[in-house]
Amino acid sequence: TQLLEQSPQFLSIQEGENLTVYCNSSSVFSSLQWYRQEPGEGPVLLVTVVTGGEVKKLKRLTFQFGDARKDSSLHITAAQPGDTGLYLCAGPTYNAGNNRKLIWGLGTSLAVNP
Amino acid sequence: DTAVSQTPKYLVTQMGNDKSIKCEQNLGHDTMYWYKQDSKKFLKIMFSYNNKELIINETVPNRFSPKSPDKAHLNLHINSLELGDSAVYFCASSQDPYSSYNEQFFGPGTRLTVL
């Protein structure tokens, strides 16, 4: 069974600090996605990484896909209160009927204090 | 103009009752999903429909019955509600689930509380 483990589970930091959160698996994924979920809302896609070793930047957020495509990290530079939310990683897998679905990590709950 | 909408936003009901949640997407997507997010924030797929056809059914109790009257709508009916059904239920849609870059668009969720 493919699993995605995220760490840390909770993170509370001050505005302006840097942080890194991780998404790890013992399985190889063809791609991984990062979503952010704010309270009372559904997850929203931030990025998709596809190639091993790939680095993608979205303003102050830097995403990396591991060389072996088993893990990914999200680094936030100079965190702001607006970055507060639940960060979820997700990867594709197939069910018995060969239909593609996403499996999800438990998420990292980030609180950035002013 | 909301892309994926769900009603109701909140649902509080007694054990044993039957309830429905409705979902609509105006993105023109072919695939729609129902997810359950538990109190630990774990997001688990329940069902997926592609062009009104059920393609994923993840060992969900028979008390849960999805229905897709057309590509833009996916409803979820739950019979004989149990305490363990309390969770946030999300509807989502996507265009091409087989693409690596496939993005799922989520509704705002329905918080179901069973008393």
Side-chain angles (χ1 to χ4, degrees):
Chain A
T1 305
Q2 289 177 301
L3 287 173
L4 286 168
E5 296 181 354
Q6 291 190 245
S7 61
Q9 192 176 350
F10 299 98
L11 193 52
S12 179
I13 61 171
Q14 293 301 119
E15 184 175 358
E17 291 183 12
N18 301 333
L19 67 116
T20 303
V21 298
Y22 301 92
C23 174
N24 296 308
S25 176
S26 57
S27 305
V28 175
F29 283 88
S30 58
S31 62
L32 280 177
Q33 293 183 320
W34 285 91
Y35 286 75
R36 180 168 66 209
Q37 184 179 10
E38 298 188 16
E41 297 181 13
V44 175
L45 180 67
L46 295 173
V47 80
T48 302
V49 286
V50 176
T51 307
E54 182 177 7
V55 176
K56 280 192 171 176
K57 291 195 174 185
L58 189 67
K59 296 182 182 177
R60 294 174 294 100
L61 277 59
T62 302
F63 303 84
Q64 184 158 9
F65 200 12
D67 290 341
R69 291 185 288 130
K70 291 183 179 182
D71 53 79
S72 181
S73 63
L74 158 59
H75 181 80
I76 302 179
T77 304
Q80 298 177 1
D83 296 327
T84 293
L86 179 68
Y87 289 81
L88 295 160
C89 67
T93 187
Y94 291 83
N95 69 358
N98 206 35
N99 292 300
R100 195 172 187 268
K101 62 177 183 178
L102 286 180
I103 60 167
W104 297 77
L106 271 175
T108 292
S109 184
L110 172 65
V112 182
N113 307 303
Chain B
D1 202 16
T2 307
V4 182
S5 58
Q6 292 178 233
T7 54
K9 175 80 172 164
Y10 300 97
L11 192 48
V12 181
T13 188
Q14 299 288 331
M15 233 174 18
N17 284 350
D18 304 338
K19 289 294 177 187
S20 291
I21 308 172
K22 296 187 179 216
C23 177
E24 177 181 1
Q25 54 98 1
N26 62 7
L27 297 166
H29 289 164
D30 290 337
T31 305
M32 295 185 73
Y33 312 83
W34 277 114
Y35 283 94
K36 179 180 181 180
Q37 189 172 47
D38 62 24
S39 57
K40 294 194 166 106
K41 304 295 186 188
F42 183 55
L43 200 57
K44 189 173 191 308
I45 189 166
M46 300 171 68
F47 303 103
S48 177
Y49 272 75
N50 183 265
N51 269 320
K52 301 192 297 174
E53 181 189 347
L54 179 67
I55 58 171
I56 292 177
N57 182 342
E58 288 288 296
T59 58
V60 179
N62 290 339
R63 299 182 294 104
F64 291 79
S65 49
K67 277 208 174 91
S68 181
D70 56 58
K71 268 181 19 171
H73 295 85
L74 180 61
N75 304 322
L76 183 65
H77 187 76
I78 315 170
N79 289 325
S80 304
L81 277 155
E82 300 178 356
L83 293 176
D85 297 332
S86 295
V88 181
Y89 292 84
F90 285 100
C91 175
S93 74
S94 69
Q95 181 51 39
D96 180 6
Y98 293 93
S99 163
S100 291
Y101 293 97
N102 182 59
E103 176 176 1
Q104 292 194 10
F105 292 81
F106 285 79
T110 295
R111 181 174 292 277
L112 171 65
T113 303
V114 182
L115 303 174

